[in-house]
Amino acid sequence: MVMKHYSAEFRADAVALCESRPEATIKQVAADLGINAETLRNWIRAAGSGRPRGRRSTAPSSVPVVPSALEAEVAALRRENAELKKEREILRKAARYFGGGDGLVNRCQFVEDHQRRYGVKRLCRVLGLARSTFYYWRRTASLRAVRQAADARLAALIRTVHRASDGTHGVPRITAELRDGGEVVNHKRVARVMKDTEVNTKYVGDITYLPLSGGTFRYLATVIDLASRRLAGWAIADHMRADLVIDALHAAQRTRGHLTGAIFHSDHRAQYRSRAFADACREAGVTQSMSAVGSSADNALAESFNATCKRETLQGRRGWDTEREAHLELFRWLHRYNTVRRHSRLRHRSPIAYGQALRATSTTLAEAA
C-alpha cells in the first residue's frame, strides 16, 4: 500500500484549520486538503485538540433516566460504532487508490470496484462523492475509453511526424503531414493533443502580495504545472528575498519527487534573476525561462492564478485581520484548489484528477510509440 507522508508543518496547519472552522465537519476539512478524514482525526487526537461533539443534555440531573431510553441510546451507540468500523475499513482499502492524490477518477473507480460489498450509497458518503457524479462517470466510461484511445493513437502519429522533422514541425505542418497521410483531423485537435500529454515538464511561477490590516503584507510564491494546472509548490513569507522563490521550488520538488529536465518560466523579478535561485534550479535539474522584458502576457497563467486566489479567499475584503487568519485561509484554499476545485481549462476537473488522466495517457503514448 502506498502511504503518503505529511510534514509536521502540514499536520499542524491541518489541525489548526479544523479548530478555526467549527462550523465545518472533519470530513469537509479533510476533503478540502485531499486527505482521509480518519487521518485528520488521528492528528487532532495526537495534538490533544478537541472539537465539540454536540450539545450535552440540558435535563436536570435529578430526573432519572428510564431504562428503555438508556437501552435505546446504547443500541444507537453500538450501531454508530459498527458504522465507524465500516468507514475505517473502507478508508484503509481506499488509501491504495489515492497514492497519487485523491482524484475524482480514483474515487469513482474505488466505488465501482467495491460497490457489491459496501453499497454505492455508503461508499459515496464516506468518500465525499456525489452519487450522481459516480453514476455519470460509469455511464460515460465507454465514451471516454473511445476518446482516450483515439487521442492516444493520434499522439503516437504526431510523435512520429515530429521526430521525422527533427523536432522542427509545429502544429500547422504536423496537421498538413497527417492529412497527407489520410488522417481526418484539424489543427485545433492536433494542438490539444500536443499540449495535453505530459506533466512535470513545464512550470510557471510568480510572487503576489497578501494584504494584512494595518498596511502590512505577506508574500506568496508559486510553482504551477503548466499541463495540469496543479500548484506543485508554494511558500509564504514576510519578505520578498530569493529564499521565498527557492522555498517554493523546493516544495515542488518534494511534491513531484524530482524536477529533473523540467522548465520553469517566470517574469524578470530580481528574485528569479538572483544567483541563489539560478543555483537552486541547477541543483534541481531545472532550466530557467523568462518572459520578454515588459511583457506580462508570457506569464499570464501564474498571474491569473494569483488573481483567482485572492479574489476567492478575500471575497471583497481589503485584507486579512491577522497573519494566522491569512495563513490558515490560504492553506485551505491552496490545497482545495488542487484536490477539489474544478478548472474550466481542465474540462471541469480538478488539477490532480486531470494530472492523473494525463499520466495515464502518457503511459499509453509511450507504449504505442
Side-chain angles (χ1 to χ4, degrees):
M1 178 184 297
V2 179
M3 299 297 292
K4 296 189 69 173
H5 298 282
Y6 299 95
S7 67
E9 181 182 7
F10 180 95
R11 295 196 297 270
D13 282 343
V15 172
L17 178 64
C18 214
E19 291 176 339
S20 71
R21 302 186 68 236
E23 77 284 358
T25 65
I26 290 177
K27 286 184 180 180
Q28 289 170 335
V29 175
D32 287 344
L33 301 180
I35 59 179
N36 288 333
E38 188 61 24
T39 298
L40 181 53
R41 287 193 184 95
N42 290 335
W43 293 348
I44 293 171
R45 295 188 192 104
S49 175
R51 285 169 60 94
R53 295 180 177 273
R55 298 178 180 176
R56 294 186 177 183
S57 173
T58 58
S61 57
S62 58
V63 178
V65 179
V66 296
S68 58
L70 181 60
E71 290 171 0
E73 184 176 354
V74 170
L77 288 173
R78 285 175 176 169
R79 288 193 298 270
E80 181 180 354
N81 187 52
E83 184 61 27
L84 287 173
K85 286 182 178 179
K86 282 289 184 183
E87 288 186 10
R88 287 196 294 271
E89 181 180 328
I90 290 170
L91 290 172
R92 281 197 299 270
K93 292 183 177 181
R96 71 188 63 180
Y97 282 68
F98 304 140
D102 184 359
L104 177 63
V105 173
N106 285 9
R107 281 183 283 171
C108 289
Q109 189 62 59
F110 181 80
V111 174
E112 176 72 13
D113 294 346
H114 295 82
Q115 58 178 312
R116 289 188 177 180
R117 178 175 177 81
Y118 300 106
V120 171
K121 183 177 180 180
R122 172 186 278 160
L123 288 169
C124 287
R125 176 176 55 78
V126 173
L127 298 180
L129 179 68
R131 276 183 286 169
S132 59
T133 299
F134 166 71
Y135 288 126
Y136 176 81
W137 175 86
R138 188 167 65 179
R139 188 169 63 251
T140 58
S142 60
L143 295 177
R144 286 196 306 275
V146 170
R147 186 165 56 246
Q148 290 171 358
D151 282 352
R153 174 181 173 278
L154 178 59
L157 293 174
I158 289 171
R159 286 187 172 182
T160 300
V161 173
H162 194 253
R163 284 196 299 266
S165 71
D166 292 329
T168 61
H169 281 7
V171 172
R173 290 178 177 173
I174 289 178
T175 303
E177 290 281 354
L178 291 172
R179 287 173 176 170
D180 286 348
E183 293 295 319
V184 180
V185 66
N186 61 46
H187 70 282
K188 290 183 179 180
R189 185 179 176 210
V190 171
R192 175 179 62 78
V193 173
M194 288 179 69
K195 180 180 178 182
D196 296 345
T197 54
E198 198 165 356
V199 298
N200 198 24
T201 57
K202 295 181 181 178
Y203 291 90
V204 296
D206 196 12
I207 301 173
T208 190
Y209 70 92
L210 307 170
L212 301 179
S213 62
T216 59
F217 299 95
R218 294 299 180 266
Y219 303 93
L220 169 68
T222 55
V223 178
I224 304 170
D225 189 301
L226 193 61
S228 68
R229 301 299 201 268
R230 178 175 182 173
L231 179 64
W234 55 279
I236 297 176
D238 59 358
H239 62 79
M240 291 182 66
R241 296 190 296 272
D243 289 348
L244 175 64
V245 294
I246 292 172
D247 287 345
L249 184 72
H250 287 165
Q253 269 187 295
R254 292 191 295 271
T255 298
R256 290 303 198 189
H258 73 88
L259 298 176
T260 305
I263 296 172
F264 178 80
H265 184 80
S266 68
D267 59 19
H268 277 260
R269 290 178 188 266
Q271 295 86 350
Y272 294 118
R273 291 187 286 106
S274 68
R275 178 174 295 181
F277 185 69
D279 290 344
C281 287
R282 185 164 50 252
E283 291 172 3
V286 172
T287 300
Q288 278 189 270
S289 169
M290 291 191 182
S291 307
V293 177
S295 171
S296 62
D298 290 347
N299 210 34
L301 172 60
E303 294 178 358
S304 175
F305 174 90
N306 290 338
T308 300
C309 174
K310 287 195 284 191
R311 183 179 66 250
E312 295 189 359
T313 52
L314 284 171
Q315 297 184 352
R317 293 174 294 171
R318 298 177 67 89
W320 286 276
D321 291 335
T322 65
E323 180 180 0
R324 174 181 169 80
E325 180 189 11
H327 182 87
L328 289 179
E329 286 193 14
L330 285 162
F331 175 76
R332 174 177 180 263
W333 190 91
L334 294 171
H335 284 284
R336 182 180 174 82
Y337 170 87
N338 279 337
T339 60
V340 178
R341 189 181 186 279
R342 296 178 184 273
H343 201 299
S344 59
R345 292 294 183 89
L346 306 181
R347 302 167 199 165
H348 296 285
R349 284 180 282 182
S350 71
I352 284 181
Y354 190 75
Q356 289 170 339
L358 289 185
R359 283 194 293 272
T361 301
S362 295
T363 301
T364 303
L365 293 177
E367 294 172 350

